[in-house]
Each structure stands twice: as structure tokens, then as C-alpha cells.
Amino acid sequence: MNIQQIYTGCIAQAAYYLESDGEAAIFDPLREVQPYIDRAQQNGAKITYIFETHFHADFVSGHLDLAAKTGGKIVYGPTAKPQFEAIIAEDNQEFKVGRYTIKAIHTPGHTLESTCYLLFDENHKPHAIITGDTLFIGDVGRPDLAQTIATDLTQELLAGHLYDSLRNKIMPLPDDVIIFPSHGAGSACGKNLSKETTDTLGNQKRTNYALRADMSKAEFVDELLNGLAAPPAYFPQNVLMNIQGYESLDNVIEKSKRPISPTEFLQIAAQTGAMILDVRHETEFVVEHIKGSMFIGINGGFAPWVGALLMNVEQPILLVTPENKEEETITRLARVGFDNVLGYLDGGIATWKAAGFETDSIESISPDVFAQQAYSDDTEIVDARKPGEYASGHLEAAKNLPLDTILSNVEAFPKEKKTFIHCAGGYRSVIMVSLLKARGIHNVVNVEKGMSGIKNTGLPIIQEAVSN
């Protein structure tokens, strides 16, 4: 069967391309749709269907732009109520793409409209199932996201629906059916996703905690809901964009890819309250950046951190980017719904300095220097990693303040002593330092290379039991 996974690591998301006899279908496309169109055209195929597994929360799908450019029909599962033209499939309704058959299987739980698509080959043998956020490798979709737009739904109710969907709709399928989920490790749509992005159903029955045959519904609900962190603030905004529609990405890029001189850049920032977002490498930002700007580098987990820390998709943004990375940055912001980019600094920091405007820097030290200063009486240590990372090995004196919680902990942040901030490798710690400095907290020092460097200094590392 000609089915291809198209995985985007930045947001840990998988789209799928299916083709047979000159016809193609796309499942859960990203917002930049031209690569799908190019792939079909190169193979002499026409995109006839765009299948959506649900209304996504963590990214803005490309269904509308793809339909407008190809004439393909958008398909959602039962109970979906999009505010645009789409086919609302019935449970078990079948669609043809060349010699292949796609069966829509309604699997409520992650959301009420969540639907998996069972793929049959030319001999009508079940080959694979595209599971969306219903079933991941090693995990299942969190059942609390629908509450962000429908207050009458409880996470307990949805978790119960998910239990039934898994056991009545998916687990009875043949063990050799291939699981194609929408996300892998790093996604906030589940608790503990595997780094693997495909597997067989049979192996998942043996290894995935949520598919244990002896698990009762009550046990499933309790285990699924235990340890769920709050969803990022931008999730409900993305859901609404996917339901209601959005501006074409072509238009977003055209209006946003605007070079701005340093003087105008400063004026616009003052007039609009725009966030100055610097997406260069962290080592460049540490040395020199616009005072008050925020760092989130495009070389790391860019889009999810933008969503988690900027929170409001309508936030006006001014960009400082590496040369020739302007359009890529705008596109990657648009993936998570941040369309309000006002432009970018023409010529970057070099033109800013040439215009005589002020820059700032971050105090940043090597792991070895940190080891010499870490346990002075007048210092604090903050570990910016996730709780699970912290529990797997941390410094005795380190306080765990995960980066995605810092906005709610700014007031409680230690301000009297010099505070060393580290993460796993040095990316998240620079984000945190930039955010704190922008809010007037300057007693912070970045530890380069993070825990990966600290482990080589000989400082004692404490391990704790990791809970789900």
C-alpha cells in the first residue's frame, strides 16, 4: 500500500499521504500545504480527499487551503460541526481512493468527534489505521482538551468514551494492522508518547498501558487522568481556528514578510505593544540582543514554546531572525495560529547597532564555572526541565520550576540571590532567562549545556522515582 508518513519534528506531528491509481488523500495536513500538492503533481495524482481525525488543538490544520487549491473534499467524523463545507462521515462509512478503501471509525474520547481511518488495500485487507490522537505509540490522547470549548464535557466522561472506543472499535482489529498516530514524543496531546511513530496493533496491545486487557474502565480513567498537566493556553484558540476557519497562509506570509528599519521597528514596538521575538541560536542571543526581547530559537522546539509562553494567538509580534529565515519563521508561527507578525528587523542586530540603539546580553557560564559557584551561600539553583526529567536526576539544591510554568511563578521567583538556571542542554534556560529579564528580574545566570554538561563536573546527582 502506498501510504507515507510525513513527520514534522518541531511539533511532533504526523500527516499522511495515500495514493492509488492517480488519486491521493491527505490526512491531518499541516498549514503549509504546497509540499502535499507538489508530491501529488510529481506522481501525476489528484488530491480528492482531505481527512481530518478531529479538530486539532496543538496546530492549525491545512484543510481549508488544501481544499481551496486542489478541490479535494474535507472529511470529518460523526458529530463534527465545522463552520465550512465538509463531508461529515457516518460511522463505518467508506471512501475510495483509487483501489484503496478508507473506512471512517468513530472513536470518541480524545474529543467527541475523534475518528480513526482504517485503510484497506486493493484486496480489501486491513493494512493500517490512522488513529489521530485516539491512540499513540505507548499512550493515548488526553481527554481534557474538549473542555476548553465545551464546558458540559468532563474529562472523566471523555476518558470513559475513550475506553469504550479503544476496546470496541480498535482492539478487535487484526494484530498486524499498522498504527499510524498523529503525534510522537514531545507532543502535549498525551502524557508519555514514545519516540517511535509507528507500530503494529498487536505489539501495542502487549506494551501500551492503556490497552491492557484486564483493565477496568474505572482503572483506565484513573490511570489516564493521573498526572495530566494543564494544557497550553493556545490550545483552545487553535481548536476554534480549525472549526471556524482562518486566513490563507499565503496571505499571512505576504503581509508578515515585511522588512522594517531599526527606527520604525522601535516605533512599532512602542505603539502596538508587540512582542520582540528573537529566533536566532541561543549562543547568539546570549551575546547580544535587543533589550526586553524574548528568545525562542527556531532550532529547538520552537512552535510549541511559542504557544505555551506567548499564549494569545492575536499577540502582535516583531521578529529578529537569522538571515533568510524570515519566511520559515512566519510559517512556523502560523502552524500554531500566531498570524499577527508585523514584520522583521531588516538586517538584524547589525543594523540595530549601526543605528545606535541599545543591546543587552545574558550572563552565561560554563558547567565547570557553575560547579565552582553553585553552592555558595548567596546563590540559588533553578532547574527549568519538566518534573519527569527533574526526578530522573537533579542537583540536590535545585528548585524545579519548569519553563512552561514560569509565567505563573514569576512573583515567586527568587530575586534576592544570584540564581543559576539550567535545563537539559541550554535551550530552555536561555528562554527562561530572557523571559525573566524582560520582566525586570536580572539576578539570573544561564548555565551552558545544561544537565548534559553538569553531569561531567562531578557534582552529585540525585535520582527519584518517576511517577506518571
Side-chain angles (χ1 to χ4, degrees):
M1 174 173 271
N2 184 7
I3 174 74
Q4 301 167 37
Q5 183 182 77
I6 305 169
Y7 197 79
T8 304
C10 175
I11 56 174
Q13 190 270 346
Y16 295 89
Y17 177 92
L18 178 72
E19 183 190 311
S20 174
D21 287 351
E23 295 182 346
I26 312 296
F27 298 80
D28 291 341
L30 284 183
R31 197 167 176 184
E32 60 270 32
V33 300
Q34 195 58 44
Y36 312 121
I37 297 171
D38 292 344
R39 186 174 300 216
Q41 289 178 343
Q42 289 168 5
N43 296 342
K46 176 179 174 57
I47 295 174
T48 56
Y49 289 110
I50 302 138
F51 291 97
E52 291 284 357
T53 55
H54 63 295
F55 294 121
H56 305 281
D58 58 313
F59 71 99
V60 178
S61 181
H63 51 296
L64 291 177
D65 278 359
L66 192 54
K69 292 185 175 186
T70 67
K73 296 178 180 179
I74 301 170
V75 180
Y76 280 92
T79 76
K81 296 179 180 179
Q83 296 179 17
F84 45 82
E85 184 176 352
I87 297 171
I88 306 304
E90 297 178 359
D91 193 18
N92 295 318
Q93 182 174 344
E94 294 185 350
F95 300 83
K96 296 293 288 186
V97 175
R99 291 174 293 164
Y100 301 151
T101 301
I102 297 98
K103 179 186 283 189
I105 301 177
H106 189 207
T107 51
H110 175 65
T111 64
L112 281 180
E113 81 283 351
S114 287
T115 297
C116 299
Y117 296 100
L118 183 61
L119 310 181
F120 295 86
D121 65 18
E122 56 267 35
N123 298 315
H124 208 71
K125 179 182 183 299
H127 175 78
I129 184 168
I130 293 174
T131 55
D133 289 17
T134 295
L135 175 62
F136 300 126
I137 307 306
D139 203 354
V140 292
R142 57 190 298 167
D144 60 329
L145 301 184
Q147 294 177 274
T148 60
I149 59 171
T151 56
D152 58 328
L153 292 173
T154 66
Q155 58 185 14
E156 290 79 12
L157 176 64
L158 284 166
H161 284 317
L162 184 55
Y163 177 88
D164 293 334
S165 293
L166 292 168
R167 277 147 183 80
N168 299 331
K169 299 290 188 72
I170 294 181
M171 291 175 69
L173 297 173
D175 281 357
D176 62 353
V177 165
I178 300 169
I179 303 296
F180 284 132
S182 281
H183 297 292
S187 170
C189 293
K191 289 194 301 183
N192 191 31
L193 284 70
S194 169
K195 64 179 181 180
E196 304 299 328
T197 59
T198 64
D199 197 5
T200 62
L201 177 58
N203 194 52
Q204 282 302 292
K205 287 179 184 178
R206 291 187 291 272
T207 60
N208 190 324
Y209 77 93
L211 302 186
R212 292 203 311 266
D214 61 349
M215 178 182 275
S216 70
K217 181 181 287 190
E219 290 171 333
F220 176 88
V221 172
D222 287 344
E223 192 159 348
L224 183 57
L225 299 183
N226 180 41
L228 275 182
Y234 78 101
F235 271 24
Q237 299 168 72
N238 276 197
V239 170
L240 290 176
M241 291 178 73
N242 283 318
I243 292 174
Q244 297 171 350
Y246 47 79
E247 188 174 3
S248 166
L249 179 61
D250 292 342
N251 293 342
V252 171
I253 292 173
E254 183 179 1
K255 74 177 184 181
S256 299
K257 194 178 176 183
R258 176 184 167 222
I260 302 174
S261 70
T263 299
E264 187 182 4
F265 192 91
L266 190 60
Q267 291 171 345
I268 293 174
Q271 292 167 358
T272 65
M275 165 69 70
I276 300 175
L277 182 62
D278 193 322
V279 306
R280 298 172 298 150
H281 194 274
E282 57 263 31
T283 55
E284 296 177 282
F285 184 88
V286 163
V287 172
E288 202 163 35
H289 57 266
I290 296 174
K291 188 174 183 178
S293 61
M294 182 175 180
F295 165 77
I296 305 179
I298 58 171
N299 292 324
F302 177 65
W305 284 120
V306 167
L309 298 173
L310 270 63
M311 297 189 290
N312 183 358
V313 297
E314 296 180 359
Q315 167 70 48
I317 298 170
L318 288 166
L319 293 174
V320 179
T321 74
E323 187 177 2
N324 298 321
K325 290 290 186 178
E326 300 86 9
E327 184 168 326
E328 178 186 342
T329 303
I330 293 164
T331 299
R332 290 172 67 174
L333 285 167
R335 283 178 184 168
V336 288
F338 286 80
D339 292 354
N340 196 13
V341 174
L342 306 182
Y344 64 91
L345 180 61
D346 192 14
I349 291 295
T351 59
W352 183 264
K353 289 168 57 182
F357 293 134
E358 183 180 9
T359 62
D360 198 359
S361 63
I362 287 175
E363 184 178 353
S364 188
I365 61 174
S366 70
D368 289 333
V369 173
F370 167 71
Q372 297 169 10
Q373 302 179 6
Y375 291 105
S376 302
D377 292 337
D378 57 347
T379 61
E380 300 270 3
I381 303 171
V382 167
D383 188 327
R385 296 175 300 158
K386 295 178 180 179
E389 294 175 282
Y390 178 82
S392 68
H394 63 85
L395 297 170
E396 182 178 9
K399 180 179 182 180
N400 189 209
L401 283 178
L403 176 57
D404 58 357
T405 69
I406 190 60
L407 290 174
S408 59
N409 284 301
V410 169
E411 292 303 317
F413 193 87
K415 302 178 181 65
E416 301 302 321
K417 298 181 178 181
K418 176 184 286 190
T419 302
F420 300 107
I421 300 178
H422 79 82
C423 57
Y427 177 80
R428 284 174 285 178
S429 58
V430 176
I431 296 176
M432 182 179 285
V433 171
S434 75
L435 189 152
L436 291 167
K437 284 174 67 69
R439 284 158 176 76
I441 299 174
H442 298 286
N443 60 314
V444 285
V445 179
N446 175 60
V447 181
E448 300 162 2
K449 301 181 181 179
M451 184 55 75
S452 64
I454 293 171
K455 287 180 178 178
N456 297 324
T457 65
L459 288 174
I461 305 296
I462 296 173
Q463 291 184 334
E464 300 175 2
V466 180
S467 60
N468 290 330

